[in-house]
Amino acid sequence: MPRSDASRTWSIAEIAEEFGVTHRTVRHYEDLGLISPERRGTTRVYHRRDRTRLGLVLRGRRLGFPLEEIRTIIDLYDAPRGRRSQLEYVLDQIDERRADLEQRRRDIEAALSELDGFEGRCREDLRRLT
Amino acid sequence: MPRSDASRTWSIAEIAEEFGVTHRTVRHYEDLGLISPERRGTTRVYHRRDRTRLGLVLRGRRLGFPLEEIRTIIDLYDAPRGRRSQLEYVLDQIDERRADLEQRRRDIEAALSELDGFEGRCREDLRRLT
DNA sequence: CACGTTCTTGACGTTAACGTCAACGTAAAG
DNA sequence: CTTTACGTTGACGTTAACGTCAAGAACGTG
């Protein structure tokens, strides 16, 4: 049986360490409903599912999304989509998200190409100094 | 002489309106040294240069950068790069910025493709409901 | 079973990015 | 010349995202 089995669990310290955050951050995310670890007695026990969600949260954070928004997004992934109205709502949300992400991508491309141009000018300056 | 001449100036209300922010936000950015409009008497007068910088600031904001970091970046663009040491410092900063932006781009690509996959599953669900 | 480690739940502190008054100046318009 | 619109400087309020104690429970180890 492999160590990283589907049934393997982690403590809050292990999770925090592995994802490079503090246990306080992990608990804060739980307060906001972003993750909901199992409890054994009073102690939190993290499963693979929690790791997946935490990964999504941190990616959202790197992208600068507010945690509340992140919650609505990843909840979307888990939402029941039985009824047609639900599905149409979800598809609308997807479109909004995509529009946002694509705007960000454009911003990044623009920033990167400005950076490239600027680096070119700097290297030119450096060359002339030699 | 065209209206949008290089010498045209704007009031704080015009600037705020045009960029879709409040005058309070504009003043806040001035407090942090992100823009520094001319003063006629006590009144702020904005030039094209200020608009350019404000545009950069807002793009940085959309990308989720903290304002302090944004300041160091756009100040970099205006920094004197006469000495070799200065130029090398600037080139280092450029590399850091680029690494950051590329990480963000990867995050966005990942998020977008997950979104695509999810949309596919939703449309499939919808089709089966018909 | 005493001890150090790891966990728990509050509760208050902090920083960033503004919002929201208050109180006042000034300049054109009726 | 008063009103109205737009500008100014404080200064305090607010929200998000945690940091930072404090004070205690639980658990493996010598």
Side-chain angles (χ1 to χ4, degrees):
Chain A
M1 193 143 108
R3 287 109 173 78
S4 264
D5 191 18
S7 64
R8 181 169 166 202
T9 63
W10 292 264
S11 74
I12 191 168
E14 289 169 333
I15 287 286
E17 156 84 301
E18 191 174 343
F19 284 88
V21 297
T22 70
H23 76 286
R24 184 63 183 82
T25 299
V26 177
R27 276 189 42 212
H28 182 55
Y29 292 169
E30 182 178 349
D31 288 346
L32 297 186
L34 291 164
I35 43 185
S36 21
E38 187 200 339
R39 294 293 181 118
R40 274 183 203 151
T42 152
T43 303
R44 294 168 173 87
V45 176
Y46 296 84
H47 295 252
R48 275 257 297 282
R49 160 171 202 284
D50 302 307
R51 295 164 50 92
T52 304
R53 290 186 67 115
L54 183 52
L56 288 174
V57 171
L58 294 179
R59 193 180 66 196
R61 192 179 73 163
R62 284 196 300 274
L63 290 174
F65 287 103
L67 295 178
E68 275 296 324
E69 204 171 333
I70 295 178
R71 187 165 60 90
T72 73
I73 301 171
I74 65 187
D75 280 355
L76 210 63
Y77 281 99
D78 290 351
R81 25 188 225 281
R83 299 188 313 287
R84 164 179 309 270
S85 60
Q86 254 292 343
L87 271 167
E88 277 159 357
Y89 168 74
V90 167
L91 285 168
D92 275 4
Q93 292 290 307
I94 290 178
D95 282 350
E96 279 188 34
R97 292 289 98 224
R98 197 193 331 262
D100 189 336
L101 288 170
E102 280 168 352
Q103 171 63 51
R104 278 156 189 267
R105 183 163 57 181
R106 281 192 297 276
D107 283 334
I108 288 189
E109 300 299 347
L112 275 172
S113 53
E114 271 170 28
L115 214 55
D116 284 349
F118 186 53
E119 177 176 20
R121 293 197 299 278
C122 287
R123 293 212 178 281
E124 184 61 20
D125 288 2
L126 197 61
R127 238 175 27 78
R128 274 194 295 248
L129 268 181
T130 312
Chain B
M1 193 145 108
R3 287 109 174 75
S4 265
D5 191 19
S7 64
R8 156 123 202 238
T9 63
W10 291 265
S11 74
I12 191 169
E14 289 169 332
I15 286 286
E17 155 84 302
E18 191 173 344
F19 283 87
V21 296
T22 69
H23 76 287
R24 184 63 184 81
T25 299
V26 176
R27 276 190 41 210
H28 182 55
Y29 292 169
E30 182 177 350
D31 287 345
L32 297 187
L34 290 164
I35 42 184
S36 22
E38 188 201 339
R39 293 293 181 121
R40 274 184 203 150
T42 153
T43 303
R44 293 169 173 86
V45 175
Y46 296 85
H47 294 252
R48 273 257 297 281
R49 159 169 202 286
D50 302 306
R51 295 165 50 93
T52 304
R53 291 186 66 116
L54 183 51
L56 288 174
V57 171
L58 293 179
R59 193 179 65 195
R61 191 179 73 163
R62 283 195 302 273
L63 290 174
F65 286 103
L67 295 177
E68 275 297 323
E69 204 171 332
I70 295 178
R71 186 165 60 90
T72 73
I73 301 171
I74 64 186
D75 280 355
L76 209 64
Y77 282 100
D78 290 350
R81 24 188 224 279
R83 300 188 313 287
R84 165 179 308 268
S85 60
Q86 253 292 342
L87 270 167
E88 277 159 358
Y89 168 75
V90 167
L91 285 168
D92 276 4
Q93 292 291 307
I94 290 177
D95 282 351
E96 279 189 36
R97 292 288 97 226
R98 192 184 346 252
D100 190 335
L101 288 169
E102 280 167 353
Q103 171 63 50
R104 278 158 190 268
R105 183 161 58 180
R106 282 192 298 277
D107 283 334
I108 287 188
E109 300 298 349
L112 276 171
S113 54
E114 271 169 28
L115 215 54
D116 284 350
F118 186 53
E119 177 176 19
R121 294 198 298 280
C122 286
R123 294 212 178 279
E124 183 61 21
D125 288 3
L126 197 61
R127 237 175 28 78
R128 272 195 297 248
L129 268 181
T130 311

